[in-house]
């Protein structure tokens, strides 16, 4: 199972990276955010238990907020890059829903899943281009290795552990909705540390994302707990 998860992550991230080479980061960010809407639709079909309409309204609000937050650099005309990112969004949706189906209500450690998943991803990526990987590692300074350790642990491993735990203990739809807040935190860090400015539309977008996320979480929690109570009573 972890091997499949690792291969899935490598595929999604590779498609996203390749897509950004041909399109803009803005286009890519908006398209990949469609997974926020795709996920509850696929999960509802899979479980044959549709989430309430307000949840889907909340996801649309979040996507609109994302559009306002990250379109400051403008959009570019649709191209191959957009198609690659769209495929990545669909595959990410399938990945998250399948992960939820295979791990929920099962004695599976999110830490173990993530460790095996990242190991598989590392082996695959090394096998694709071993020479460049080795040359890069040889030329790394102590500072480079420090930055790599930070990115590997705090920005990758911990993030994937949290996502795996969320999918296992809540739902794929809820996890996807929370992942949609990522641009908000990135913008906050950019403003606080990088000295960047957030315009009025960006502020409105961030507020829509946060508000839509909290609303969607509340709707999903009531629905999930209500469904669990009904199943227990039956």
């Amino acid at each position: 199972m972890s091997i499949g998860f690792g291969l899935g992550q490598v595929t999604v991230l590779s498609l996203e990276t390749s897509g950004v080479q041909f399109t803009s980061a803005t286009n890519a960010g908006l398209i990949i955010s469609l997974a926020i809407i795709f996920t509850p639709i696929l999960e509802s079909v899979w479980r044959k238990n549709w989430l309430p309409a307000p949840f889907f309204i909340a996801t649309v609000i979040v996507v609109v907020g994302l559009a306002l937050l990250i379109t400051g650099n403008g959009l570019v005309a649709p191209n191959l890059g957009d198609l690659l990112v769209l495929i990545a969004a669909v595959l990410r949706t399938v990945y998250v829903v399948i992960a939820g189906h295979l791990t929920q209500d099962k004695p599976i450690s999110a830490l173990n899943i993530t460790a095996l998943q990242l190991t598989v991803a590392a082996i695959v990526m090394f096998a694709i281009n071993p020479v460049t990987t080795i040359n890069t590692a040889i030329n790394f300074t102590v500072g480079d290795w420090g930055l790599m350790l930070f990115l590997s642990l705090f920005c990758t491993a911990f993030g994937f552990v949290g996502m795996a735990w969320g999918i296992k203990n809540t739902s794929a739809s809820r996890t996807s909705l929370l992942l949609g807040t990522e641009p908000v935190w990135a913008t906050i860090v950019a403003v606080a540390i990088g000295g960047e400015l957030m315009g009025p539309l960006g502020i409105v977008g961030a507020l829509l994302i946060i508000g839509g996320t909290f609303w969607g979480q509340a709707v999903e929690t009531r629905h999930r707990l209500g469904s669990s109570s009904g199943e227990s009573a039956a």
Side-chain angles (χ1 to χ4, degrees), residues 69 183-184 187-188 191 196-206:
L69 180 64
V184 176
T187 302
I188 290 174
V191 171
E196 296 186 13
L197 298 177
M198 183 189 297
L201 286 180
I203 294 174
V204 172

